[in-house]
Amino acid sequence: MVGDGPRYAVPWRNFGILVALACGAACSPVDGAQEAASAAQTQGEASQSGIAATHPISGLRVIDVAVESDGKSTTFKTELALSREEQARGLMFREALADDEAMLFPNDPPQVRSFWMKNTPVSLDIIFIGADGRITNIETAMPYSLESVASKGPVIAVFEIRGGLAEELGIAAGDRVEWEQPS
């Protein structure tokens, strides 16, 4: 979840509605592995048909993001969080994130960004991308942590993948991250 920006108070009369909505998102009868497999299948089918893919859980547009590391490219099916609301929600309440899935939080102009893990039950590698398209720093954030992790300087985007995956794939500061901004 994005740590910068305003916090919103929720009137208690809406609390029941919020619990029902959160339960609908977080208490799905589909387990995490099935959820991730279903999302990947839906994204693949949309890509093959030539239409813009959307994620079955978030409804966000899905794009390919490639990370170039040591002469090797790894491509992720990436949810694109563009609006302030989409970025504030991020991957909250998500029970699973497949190894080929990610979320991208672009911003213009470049700025220092900070994120926290409130209501996020999965560990994430939070990858900060500088104006040159290279990774400035990577921070691993633990589930539900309210501790903020921040970029080391202004960035043009933040990229989130499953916690620990960056190390497993050898992704490090200085690696290039590329994507096409959809029209």
Side-chain angles (χ1 to χ4, degrees):
M1 176 173 179
V2 178
D4 44 2
R7 304 283 187 261
Y8 298 99
V10 177
W12 282 105
R13 69 180 179 272
N14 294 337
F15 186 74
I17 295 169
L18 288 174
V19 169
L21 289 172
C23 191
C27 302
S28 170
V30 178
D31 70 27
Q34 287 176 321
E35 178 181 290
S38 173
Q41 179 180 358
T42 301
Q43 292 169 10
E45 290 168 359
S47 294
Q48 290 173 358
S49 68
I51 60 172
T54 57
H55 194 274
I57 296 169
S58 67
L60 297 177
R61 185 168 186 173
V62 175
I63 63 170
D64 286 341
V65 174
V67 179
E68 303 284 334
S69 180
D70 288 331
K72 168 178 90 166
S73 180
T74 304
T75 301
F76 296 88
K77 297 295 180 191
T78 304
E79 296 169 68
L80 187 58
L82 295 174
S83 74
R84 187 171 188 82
E85 294 78 22
E86 292 165 350
Q87 291 192 9
R89 181 167 176 88
L91 290 167
M92 286 196 310
F93 306 109
R94 294 285 281 281
E95 296 289 330
L97 190 64
D99 286 355
D100 67 341
E101 289 185 308
M103 185 171 278
L104 183 71
F105 304 79
N107 54 272
D108 186 29
Q111 58 189 285
V112 173
R113 298 293 304 267
S114 64
F115 283 63
W116 63 344
M117 298 289 287
K118 184 176 181 179
N119 298 321
T120 307
V122 294
S123 171
L124 297 173
D125 284 342
I126 301 177
I127 300 171
F128 298 95
I129 305 164
D132 61 357
R134 296 197 176 275
I135 297 171
T136 61
N137 60 303
I138 301 172
E139 304 293 334
T140 299
M142 302 312 291
Y144 301 109
S145 174
L146 298 181
E147 184 178 327
S148 191
V149 296
S151 62
K152 293 180 179 175
V155 296
I156 60 166
V158 178
F159 185 59
E160 293 180 341
I161 60 176
R162 178 183 59 80
L165 187 58
E167 184 176 347
E168 291 172 28
L169 296 174
I171 296 171
D175 291 345
R176 179 171 289 288
V177 182
E178 298 178 336
W179 69 92
E180 286 189 34
Q181 190 71 12
S183 51

